[in-house]
Amino acid sequence: MDRCSNCVLSTSFPGLELDENGVCNFCRDESIVTTEQKIIDESAVQVQQLIEGTKGKNEYDALVCYSGGKDSTYTLMAAVEKYGMKILSFTLDNGYISPKAFENINKVVETLGVDHFTFKPSKTVFNKMITTSATEPVYAKSSLRRISSGCNTCISIVNNLALKTALEKNIPFILAGFTLGQIPANSIIYRNNYPFFLDSRKRGLEILKTKAGNAVNNYLTISEELQKKTVEYPYVINLLCMESLTENQIIEAITPLGWERPGDVDGCSSNCRLNTFNNIIHQKKFGYSPYELELSHLIRKNQLTREEALEKLLDQPREIYESIGKELGYLDN
Ligand SMILES: [Zn+2]
């Protein structure tokens, strides 16, 4: 038995203990789900109040980090249609976004009528940051239980760009498309705090700079001038965490916007081909997939079956790993 018989956590997952029935300690602890529900309910009230209190006072009500995947597409749609917010959205083009995902992005922003921009970092610097994330201890091991090192780097760039843009344009909210399982319940809503943010990844930043050069500063830090501009940091809100939807319900909701699932990504992504590379590196290094915690959480909440989760975990095409690995310069051509 190499996994929990109820969820999909591997025996190599940190802190995992199986009982005589093969059920893990996470599945046996029912308080995880009940405590979470309490936080969800409180967050929903707080979010409603915050949004109503600021709506219409700025050029944009919120900035949406829009990857083109199903979850951030749903988030963008909810921001516009459910919360009635005026939105600026942006996409980080890491060079490995599926062409189909870009078609989705264009269709969705046009259908919803939102302003949108794409940011593409230097390919040389970005690739170096990703290969460094694959080979060096950029992040603390504990933070890699729910995300691969490479994804962590990409998301750090997104978070930094979001904060920079929100401060420059006085946007009070940053909306991201994370789901519970990807993030802990206490991160559904939080106020950005740049000094804390920077401090928490100081070590990683130094490693990335040593390997990829000082250009890394452009992507992972913001100027002192901009920090001084305001003490009012924007709130980060993960709207999708307050809904309990299955993947099929999410896809059904966004299909009328023109969204279609890309065919050239792995079972755990709906937009990014780099994901497969990051997953396989993580699996090799730690013996479990960075998606196990999230998918297991969804299983416990009856939003996904164990069979569906296993299918996603096992759908990691070797040919994507190899072609991306070569493009990154990580594998020999
Ligand atoms: Zn379990």
Side-chain angles (χ1 to χ4, degrees):
M1 207 182 316
D2 61 347
R3 288 182 197 275
C4 168
S5 58
N6 184 61
C7 68
V8 288
L9 287 176
S10 299
T11 43
S12 45
F13 190 83
L16 196 93
E17 289 163 23
L18 298 182
D19 68 8
E20 63 280 12
N21 300 317
V23 177
C24 78
N25 45 324
F26 293 86
C27 286
R28 279 177 275 140
D29 183 1
E30 285 174 11
S31 72
I32 295 177
V33 175
T34 47
T35 312
E36 184 182 279
Q37 192 54 47
K38 202 171 158 258
I39 302 175
I40 293 172
D41 295 342
E42 287 165 2
S43 303
V45 174
Q46 198 192 355
V47 165
Q48 198 69 41
Q49 283 170 348
L50 280 171
I51 291 177
E52 290 311 319
T54 54
K55 213 155 80 179
K57 291 186 180 160
N58 299 283
E59 185 186 355
Y60 295 104
D61 297 317
L63 176 70
V64 174
C65 308
Y66 186 34
S67 74
K70 61 180 170 51
D71 294 341
S72 64
T73 300
Y74 185 90
T75 301
L76 182 59
M77 185 187 78
V80 174
E81 294 183 348
K82 184 173 171 184
Y83 293 89
M85 300 169 104
K86 181 146 194 274
I87 298 296
L88 173 63
S89 61
F90 77 94
T91 302
L92 174 76
D93 180 1
N94 64 15
Y96 302 95
I97 305 287
S98 156
K100 186 83 196 170
F102 267 117
E103 280 177 34
N104 286 333
I105 290 167
N106 284 325
K107 278 190 267 184
V108 170
V109 297
E110 282 175 21
T111 310
L112 292 173
V114 298
D115 293 345
H116 178 265
F117 70 93
T118 300
F119 179 76
K120 187 167 169 56
S122 147
K123 195 168 178 74
T124 318
V125 178
F126 181 81
N127 282 359
K128 204 80 202 145
M129 287 171 80
I130 293 300
T131 51
T132 303
S133 305
T135 53
E136 305 291 326
V138 176
Y139 304 99
K141 216 175 161 187
S142 60
S143 69
L144 298 176
R145 288 182 316 147
R146 53 177 92 236
I147 188 170
S148 66
S149 182
C151 278
N152 210 343
T153 293
C154 223
I155 284 166
S156 299
I157 299 174
V158 169
N159 288 343
N160 193 73
L161 178 59
L163 181 57
K164 204 168 171 175
T165 309
L167 289 176
E168 278 167 359
K169 296 185 180 294
N170 292 315
I171 306 176
F173 301 109
I174 294 167
L175 307 182
F178 290 108
T179 59
L180 289 167
Q182 287 178 327
I183 55 162
N186 60 12
S187 300
I188 295 176
I189 171 165
Y190 64 91
R191 188 150 223 174
N192 242 305
N193 178 320
Y194 182 70
F196 175 77
F197 190 49
L198 190 63
D199 199 52
S200 68
R201 57 180 188 206
K202 220 174 195 168
R203 191 185 69 150
L205 189 62
E206 287 312 312
I207 298 175
L208 288 169
K209 276 201 301 204
T210 310
K211 301 281 177 178
N214 283 338
V216 169
N217 279 332
N218 297 343
Y219 309 135
L220 294 177
T221 62
I222 61 173
S223 69
E224 277 180 30
E225 213 179 325
L226 191 56
Q227 288 174 58
K228 275 187 214 139
K229 195 187 140 196
T230 174
V231 286
E232 288 285 293
Y233 282 108
Y235 282 93
V236 177
I237 306 176
N238 288 283
L239 290 180
L240 193 53
C241 293
M242 289 173 291
E243 318 246 354
S244 45
L245 298 168
T246 64
E247 181 174 309
N248 286 340
Q249 287 171 322
I250 292 173
I251 290 173
E252 211 171 287
I254 61 176
T255 300
L257 303 175
W259 193 91
E260 290 171 48
R261 182 186 277 286
D264 57 352
V265 291
D266 67 59
C268 294
S269 179
S270 50
N271 65 312
C272 180
R273 289 167 56 78
L274 185 54
N275 195 55
T276 321
F277 175 81
N278 292 332
N279 286 347
I280 290 176
I281 294 285
H282 188 103
Q283 180 81 43
K284 276 189 197 165
K285 199 181 275 180
F286 301 111
Y288 66 91
S289 158
Y291 280 87
E292 287 180 17
L293 195 64
E294 178 199 356
L295 296 175
S296 296
H297 195 73
L298 293 173
I299 294 170
R300 284 179 220 119
K301 294 180 77 172
N302 296 319
Q303 287 168 239
L304 191 76
T305 66
R306 189 171 186 272
E307 290 62 40
E308 287 169 331
L310 285 173
E311 202 180 307
K312 285 175 179 295
L313 289 177
L314 299 176
D315 179 14
Q316 303 299 318
R318 196 76 204 171
E319 63 272 20
I320 301 183
Y321 168 78
E322 279 167 11
S323 100
I324 303 292
K326 285 174 188 165
E327 200 173 334
L328 285 167
Y330 179 84
L331 298 174
D332 291 334
N333 268 300

